[in-house]
């Protein structure tokens, strides 16, 4: 079946502009995660959604970052007033459940490469 | 402060030999560990995992070893194949009022034919 998809694949924006990144998780997956990977760095956790529960936003680096998940499916990560340090690959992942060892393994999308000029 | 560390940014191995990728962690509350493989321009893909109650998990050519007292885990690939050339990420999970995966910085594996 279809995997996790993300759009756009590449986004170049000017400093100060807002951007929206989209994630379509695997159908039926209840958990959705956003990460970012800066050049030469590992994956940095941003936010986690599980079903209808309040999201875990503890990884968001500033209040310029926000994310929504509509209808328990598609998610949008919004970055307001982008800065050059926001340049990174933003990865979305979903998992069937959030139960460790029981479908909690995450399936990643190909990522969105964001470049802020 | 990095809670999950992969101190070797790269590793080069001859085809057919063993590849050993190492990972250290600092948080004793982690109770589940995973390895992901990432090819260029693709998202990471899940490879193998291990619960903290075990010290070894094997899946084909891939074996993960966990040493809780040393807060260390390793991924063994044997025999290594050129198609294994990728970046390998170690990840750790802990339930801390939420659900968060902490990734290491990754190790780039080169398998030479």
């Amino acid at each position: 079946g279809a995997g996790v998809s993300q759009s756009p694949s590449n986004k170049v924006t000017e400093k100060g502009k807002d951007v929206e990144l989209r994630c379509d998780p695997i159908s039926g997956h209840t958990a959705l995660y956003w990460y970012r990977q800066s050049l030469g760095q590992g994956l940095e956790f941003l936010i986690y959604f599980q079903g209808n529960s309040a999201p875990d936003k503890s990884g968001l680096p500033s209040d310029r970052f926000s994310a929504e998940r509509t209808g328990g499916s598609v998610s949008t990560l919004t970055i307001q007033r982008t800065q050059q340090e926001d340049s990174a690959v933003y990865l979305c992942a979903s998992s069937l459940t959030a139960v460790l060892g029981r479908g909690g393994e995450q399936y990643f999308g190909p990522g969105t490469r964001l470049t802020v000029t | 402060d990095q809670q999950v560390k992969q101190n070797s940014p790269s590793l080069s191995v001859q085809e057919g030999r063993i590849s050993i990728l190492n990972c250290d962690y600092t948080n004793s509350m982690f109770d589940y560990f995973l390895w992901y493989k990432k090819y260029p321009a693709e998202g990471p893909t899940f490879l193998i995992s291990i619960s903290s109650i075990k010290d070894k998990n094997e899946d084909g050519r891939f074996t993960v070893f966990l040493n809780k007292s040393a807060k260390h885990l390793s991924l063994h690939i044997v025999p290594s194949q050129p198609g294994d050339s990728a970046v390998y990420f170690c990840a750790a999970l802990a339930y801390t009022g939420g659900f968060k995966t902490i990734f290491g910085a990754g190790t780039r594996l080169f398998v030479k034919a």
Side-chain angles (χ1 to χ4, degrees):
Chain A
V4 177
S5 61
Q6 293 185 245
S7 61
S9 55
N10 281 284
K11 176 71 176 179
V12 180
T13 189
E14 292 181 353
K15 177 182 173 181
K17 296 288 180 70
D18 298 351
V19 295
E20 284 190 354
L21 311 179
R22 178 186 169 105
C23 172
D24 284 87
I26 293 174
S27 177
H29 280 196
T30 63
L32 186 147
Y33 317 77
W34 282 98
Y35 300 88
R36 73 175 175 182
Q37 185 178 19
S38 302
L39 188 63
Q41 303 295 314
L43 279 70
E44 176 188 2
F45 168 82
L46 297 177
I47 188 169
Y48 155 70
F49 296 89
Q50 169 58 39
N52 296 320
S53 302
D56 177 352
K57 304 179 181 180
S58 59
L60 294 178
S62 78
D63 58 8
R64 296 186 294 106
F65 289 72
S66 63
E68 292 183 342
R69 188 178 185 194
T70 55
S73 181
V74 172
S75 178
T76 302
L77 177 69
T78 301
I79 309 173
Q80 296 177 310
R81 305 181 303 282
T82 52
Q83 304 293 315
Q84 288 185 331
E85 60 262 29
D86 299 334
S87 296
V89 175
Y90 288 81
L91 290 156
C92 173
S94 70
S95 62
L96 183 61
T97 74
V99 179
L100 306 180
R102 298 179 185 176
E105 293 77 18
Q106 296 171 36
Y107 294 80
F108 283 81
T112 294
R113 181 175 297 279
L114 175 66
T115 303
V116 182
T117 60
Chain B
D1 180 32
Q2 281 187 298
Q3 297 187 60
V4 177
K5 300 178 183 179
Q6 294 177 257
N7 292 319
S8 298
S10 66
L11 174 68
S12 184
V13 172
Q14 196 69 36
E15 180 180 9
R17 306 296 288 268
I18 185 171
S19 296
I20 300 177
L21 299 149
N22 293 305
C23 178
D24 296 291
Y25 62 96
T26 58
N27 189 344
S28 59
M29 298 302 291
F30 288 140
D31 49 17
Y32 204 70
F33 303 89
L34 308 95
W35 285 93
Y36 286 82
K37 179 168 75 172
K38 184 181 185 301
Y39 293 116
E42 296 182 9
T45 56
F46 170 72
L47 192 58
I48 192 169
S49 63
I50 188 167
S51 165
S52 61
I53 63 173
K54 296 185 177 181
D55 55 18
K56 177 181 175 182
N57 188 28
E58 189 173 357
D59 183 3
R61 297 185 297 113
F62 303 91
T63 303
V64 57
F65 295 93
L66 175 62
N67 182 335
K68 286 191 68 176
S69 61
K71 295 190 178 66
H72 176 85
L73 66 155
S74 60
L75 173 68
H76 292 211
I77 307 172
V78 56
S80 301
Q81 300 173 353
D84 296 330
S85 297
V87 177
Y88 290 78
F89 290 98
C90 170
L93 295 167
Y95 185 80
T96 55
F99 186 85
K100 182 185 301 183
T101 307
I102 308 298
F103 283 80
T107 296
R108 184 176 296 278
L109 174 66
F110 299 93
V111 180
K112 298 175 288 186

